């Protein structure tokens, strides 16, 4: 079973991913990250993420990208990056991270 860490869980696309995964038998949303989460709802930042995941699906905001990449690089977790509006520096970081993970 593929364990997904969903970033941007409270957005429209986060809801769409949750709906799609709810009908799948080969993957599960094992953790959720969203800056709008309160203490007991999920992880409000990547610094608070606990557990191990097989991949990150990111439909968040460019302001979260750097910490998400730090986490992904540290844990060697592959990322499906769907966030738009990244800066040139962030795009370069994404490319470099893709070579390491």
């Amino acid at each position: 079973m593929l364990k997904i860490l969903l970033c941007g869980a409270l957005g429209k696309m986060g809801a769409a991913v949750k709906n799609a995964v709810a009908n799948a038998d080969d993957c599960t949303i094992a953790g959720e990250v969203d800056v709008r989460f309160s203490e007991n709802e999920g992880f409000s930042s990547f610094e608070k993420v606990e557990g191990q995941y097989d991949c990150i699906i990111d439909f968040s905001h460019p302001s979260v990208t750097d910490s998400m990449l730090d986490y992904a690089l540290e844990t060697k977790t592959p990322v499906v990056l769907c966030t738009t509006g990244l800066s040139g520096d962030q795009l370069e970081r994404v490319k470099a991270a893709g070579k390491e993970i």
Side-chain angles (χ1 to χ4, degrees):
M1 174 85 52
L2 183 72
K3 292 172 52 180
I4 299 168
L5 178 59
L6 178 60
C7 183
L10 295 178
K12 290 179 184 177
M13 291 307 299
V17 171
K18 286 191 244 185
N19 286 337
V21 170
N23 297 319
D25 57 2
D26 58 351
C27 58
T28 186
I29 304 294
E32 298 181 16
V33 179
D34 198 293
V35 297
R36 297 170 286 182
F37 275 142
S38 65
E39 188 77 22
N40 297 321
E41 292 180 293
F43 305 114
S44 60
S45 71
F46 274 92
E47 291 78 16
K48 296 180 179 183
V49 171
E50 298 173 354
Q52 299 231 326
Y53 305 91
D54 298 310
C55 72
I56 300 166
I57 298 179
D58 178 35
F59 273 105
S60 64
H61 186 271
S63 63
V64 179
T65 301
D66 291 329
S67 63
M68 183 272 303
L69 285 175
D70 290 343
Y71 174 86
L73 284 164
E74 181 181 317
T75 60
K76 301 295 186 220
T77 306
V79 178
V80 178
L81 181 60
C82 305
T83 298
T84 60
L86 300 178
S87 70
D89 289 342
Q90 287 176 313
L91 289 171
E92 288 303 315
R93 238 185 124 211
V94 167
K95 289 178 190 175
K99 292 177 183 176
E100 283 190 50
I101 299 174

